[in-house]
Amino acid sequence: MDKDIQKILVSEEELDTIVRRVAAQIDQDYAKREGGRLILLGILKGSVVFMGDLMKRIRTPVEIEFMRVSSYGSGTVSSGDIRIILDVSIKEIQNCDILIVEDIIDSGRTLSYLVDYFKLKGARSVRTVTLLDKPARREVEFTPDYVGKQIPDEFVVGYGLDYDEKYRALPYVGVLDPKAYQGNS
Ligand code: IMP
Ligand code: MG
């Protein structure tokens, strides 16, 4: 285990189980729809590992796109305002079914903003899947369509999630030792 990790919250084995379960739910729901393109829209950078694993398990034909937004500074506290740093072009998503793939929901601001954004841009449908959800931290009302796991209000890293761009490559999700960010955020 990495020296800055206090405890493992979601192990590699559990992540695999979660991904298979969520992929099966997605397949079941999207099988009912008529025609159209399904686009998995990953929110960079945190969702990349989840996205890579999830797309392998989904049997429904999918396309992928990525977008980059920022709501955090460099610390562990959300700044609250969403900035689009890398967008997708309208023609990629018009009349498509969009499934936004996110690493974690905290305040709910990022996903509630993006769902409205894609509806305005002309998507046929917009749903959301998140690996992790911290419902205790919600500041705006938001319920994702698919959730990997609900977790308590602790700052976690690994499996794509970072603190200050570090720890993304850990194969599990772990609670970061507060010593690793104290005096920094
Ligand atoms: P929201 O808009 O407050 O829901 O923020 C969601 C974003 O905050 C996620 O995409 C993450 O980038 C970041 N975030 C929230 N909680 C954590 C955490 O515990 N570890 C790492 N990043 C987090
Ligand atoms: Mg992040």
Side-chain angles (χ1 to χ4, degrees):
M1 196 166 78
D2 190 282
K3 64 171 176 32
D4 293 339
I5 301 302
Q6 211 171 45
K7 66 167 186 250
I8 293 179
L9 203 63
V10 196
S11 68
E12 289 188 62
E13 293 72 23
E14 189 179 357
L15 284 163
D16 184 55
T17 307
I18 287 171
V19 167
R20 287 170 192 269
R21 191 200 76 228
V22 170
Q25 288 172 343
I26 290 168
D27 278 334
Q28 206 177 27
D29 290 352
Y30 283 91
K32 295 175 201 143
R33 100 212 133 110
E34 281 178 25
R37 290 154 59 209
L38 172 58
I39 298 182
L40 298 183
L41 198 140
I43 307 305
L44 295 171
K45 303 173 190 173
S47 73
V48 285
V49 185
F50 180 44
M51 173 80 140
D53 282 351
L54 186 66
M55 64 189 278
K56 290 187 290 189
R57 301 290 172 214
I58 293 176
R59 296 273 175 270
T60 311
V62 295
E63 297 174 34
I64 61 168
E65 293 288 342
F66 290 95
M67 192 160 171
R68 187 159 177 211
V69 300
S70 119
S71 68
Y72 264 56
S74 58
T76 59
V77 180
S78 174
S79 65
D81 67 317
I82 315 297
R83 277 180 305 146
I84 293 179
I85 295 165
L86 175 73
D87 205 349
V88 286
S89 76
I90 293 187
K91 77 174 198 320
E92 310 293 354
I93 57 158
Q94 237 162 11
N95 300 316
C96 293
D97 295 310
I98 307 272
L99 178 57
I100 304 174
V101 182
E102 180 60 304
D103 53 357
I104 188 165
I105 306 183
D106 188 72
S107 71
R109 289 185 194 281
T110 307
L111 279 184
S112 62
Y113 175 87
L114 288 176
V115 167
D116 291 346
Y117 182 78
F118 288 119
K119 284 185 178 159
L120 274 170
K121 277 205 164 191
R124 182 168 87 162
S125 70
V126 186
R127 287 188 188 172
T128 55
V129 53
T130 186
L131 173 69
L132 303 170
D133 187 8
K134 290 197 252 189
R137 301 263 307 173
R138 214 59 107 246
E139 288 167 21
V140 295
E141 208 176 299
F142 186 82
T143 309
D145 297 283
Y146 308 96
V147 177
K149 188 174 184 167
Q150 289 196 342
I151 62 166
D153 179 11
E154 286 178 297
F155 196 81
V156 293
V157 294
Y159 198 70
L161 290 107
D162 75 306
Y163 166 68
D164 211 5
E165 298 301 327
K166 295 190 291 267
Y167 313 106
R168 291 194 198 275
L170 296 176
Y172 50 80
V173 174
V175 177
L176 187 61
D177 189 333
K179 283 194 213 81
Y181 58 79
Q182 259 157 20
N184 259 320
S185 64

